[in-house]
């Protein structure tokens, strides 16, 4: 098929009047074919988007179903194990020797640990579907609030807080609260063997981003294993030494990435640890405008 486009071009005489018309005929077959190809590509693209959207919705429904199953079906046997173990310890302790009671205590501790693992896994999976609600955020006030919350749980333990001035940011307050809780709680946990924990929080400029950090004087870690820091259920210390499920830093990394930032850790064994994360500088500028 050949497509033609025509126009009439008036030719004027010396007096400016139309003397005659020229009929101009152009072959626009290639243009028409290109337009049809573009139209067809747009149709195919829309169909692909519709299919991918349907697949994503189906995947989300499956994930919701999985989360429900984990949250309810897996908790039921854990609650039963913990409950019956508690009954044995409370009502039948006289029939158990010291070793039997010790073993039941281990059973209860492990069921509670499994329950915490389930909670952390659900929190991690739900984060990917949670909407990030970005607002202007007074980062220094947030950090001081979190430090105050954690300090109340420490009893008589000595902690030296050094919270330096922090720039404002554009971020989700709830998610950033979780970031600071995890980072500061980690710093407290891994420095508890010190007579007095020293925890420093600050920020330094880094080109077009702000680099926030948390430093402690704790046990630190070997940098050759730093690649495991942000893996789900990855731990660099034995559970018997320091409690935890190994999900906290993975959760922090996902939150920071969803804000367009990066996170990394630096340390040496018995030399304390430093964790850094970035937020784009433009967000801080928007927060103050």
């Amino acid at each position: 098929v050949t497509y033609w486009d025509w126009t009439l071009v008036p030719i004027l005489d010396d007096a400016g009047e139309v003397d005659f018309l020229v009929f101009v005929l152009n072959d626009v077959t290639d243009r028409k074919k290109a337009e049809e190809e573009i139209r067809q590509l747009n149709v195919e693209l829309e169909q692909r988007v519709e299919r991918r959207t349907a697949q994503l919705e189906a995947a989300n429904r499956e994930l919701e179903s999985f989360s429900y199953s984990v949250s309810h079906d897996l908790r039921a046997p854990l609650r039963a194990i913990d409950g019956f173990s508690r009954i044995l310890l409370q009502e039948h302790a006289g029939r158990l020797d010291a070793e039997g009671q010790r073993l039941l205590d281990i059973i209860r501790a492990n069921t509670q640990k499994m329950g915490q693992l389930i909670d952390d896994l659900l929190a991690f999976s739900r984060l990917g579907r949670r909407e990030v609600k970005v607002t202007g955020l007074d980062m220094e006030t947030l950090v001081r609030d979190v430090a105050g919350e954690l300090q109340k749980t420490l009893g008589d333990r000595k902690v030296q807080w050094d919270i330096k001035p922090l720039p404002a940011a554009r971020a989700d307050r709830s998610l950033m609260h979780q970031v600071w809780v995890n980072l500061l709680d980690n710093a407290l946990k891994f420095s508890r063997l010190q007579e007095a924990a020293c925890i420093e929080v600050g920020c330094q400029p880094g080109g077009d981003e702000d680099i926030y950090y948390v430093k402690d004087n704790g046990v630190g870690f070997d940098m050759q294993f730093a690649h495991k820091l942000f893996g789900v259920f990855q731990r660099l210390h034995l559970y018997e030494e320091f409690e935890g499920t190994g999900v906290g830093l993975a959760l922090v990394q996902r939150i920071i990435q969803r804000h367009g930032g990066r996170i990394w850790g630096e340390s040496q064994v018995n030399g304390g640890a430093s964790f850094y994360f970035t937020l784009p500088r433009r967000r801080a500028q928007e927060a103050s405008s």
Side-chain angles (χ1 to χ4, degrees), residues 1 14 20 34 45 57 84 102-103 193 232 243 249 255 260 284:
V1 177
D14 295 338
F20 58 90
L45 181 59
E57 291 174 349
F84 285 118
R102 186 185 72 84
L103 293 175
L193 300 181
V232 178
E243 71 283 355
L249 286 178
I255 291 172

Side-chain angles (χ1 to χ4, degrees), residues 40-252:
Q40 187 61 37
L41 286 173
N42 286 334
V43 170
E44 292 176 2
L45 181 59
E46 290 176 0
Q47 292 173 344
R48 286 185 184 181
V49 170
E50 290 176 358
R51 287 197 299 269
R52 292 294 294 168
T53 300
Q55 291 171 357
L56 183 59
E57 291 174 349
N60 280 335
R61 287 194 297 270
E62 291 177 0
L63 191 55
E64 288 290 347
S65 177
F66 168 76
S67 297
Y68 180 88
S69 177
V70 169
S71 181
H72 293 81
D73 299 344
L74 290 185
R75 288 182 192 277
L78 285 177
R79 284 194 296 267
I81 294 170
D82 185 56
F84 285 118
S85 299
R86 185 177 66 252
I87 291 172
L88 285 173
L89 287 170
Q90 293 176 349
E91 300 181 10
H92 303 277
R95 302 181 187 181
L96 298 170
D97 59 14
E99 178 65 8
Q101 293 186 36
R102 186 185 72 84
L103 293 175
L104 282 175
D105 283 334
I106 292 175
I107 291 173
R108 290 203 66 205
N110 278 276
T111 56
Q112 291 165 8
K113 178 184 176 183
M114 184 63 186
Q116 187 61 54
L117 283 169
I118 291 173
D119 288 341
D120 290 349
L121 180 60
L122 287 174
F124 185 76
S125 67
R126 287 168 178 163
L127 178 60
R129 307 190 305 278
R130 185 192 185 285
E131 180 185 358
V132 177
K133 300 177 181 178
V134 175
T135 61
L137 184 58
D138 184 337
M139 196 70 89
E140 184 175 343
T141 297
L142 177 60
V143 170
R144 293 187 181 278
D145 288 345
V146 171
E149 294 169 10
L150 294 174
Q151 183 66 55
K152 294 176 182 177
T153 69
L154 300 177
D156 297 331
R157 181 180 167 191
K158 296 180 181 179
V159 177
Q160 178 182 335
W161 295 96
D162 182 11
I163 302 175
K164 301 184 181 302
L166 301 175
R170 290 279 297 174
D172 185 303
R173 179 180 178 81
S174 176
L175 292 179
M176 290 309 302
H177 181 274
Q178 186 67 54
V179 166
W180 288 114
V181 166
N182 285 355
L183 291 179
L184 296 183
D185 188 54
N186 268 5
L188 288 169
K189 177 169 62 178
F190 292 109
S191 60
R192 71 181 177 204
L193 300 181
Q194 302 296 326
E195 182 177 349
C198 297
I199 299 176
E200 176 186 338
V201 182
C203 184
Q204 55 197 40
D208 59 352
E209 59 188 8
D210 285 315
I211 306 173
Y212 298 87
Y213 65 82
V214 176
K215 299 181 180 180
D216 65 61
N217 62 336
V219 297
F221 57 85
D222 191 331
M223 283 297 291
Q224 68 175 313
F225 302 114
H227 62 284
K228 294 185 177 181
L229 282 172
F230 304 102
V232 178
F233 301 141
Q234 294 284 350
R235 293 175 51 84
L236 303 188
H237 301 85
L238 295 176
Y239 182 84
E240 291 75 16
E241 296 176 318
F242 298 98
E243 71 283 355
T245 59
V247 177
L249 286 178
L251 194 66
V252 168

Side-chain angles (χ1 to χ4, degrees), residues 258-272:
R258 294 201 66 191
H259 282 79
R262 303 171 291 118
I263 184 169
W264 67 95
E266 297 177 359
S267 181
Q268 58 183 3
V269 177
N270 297 319

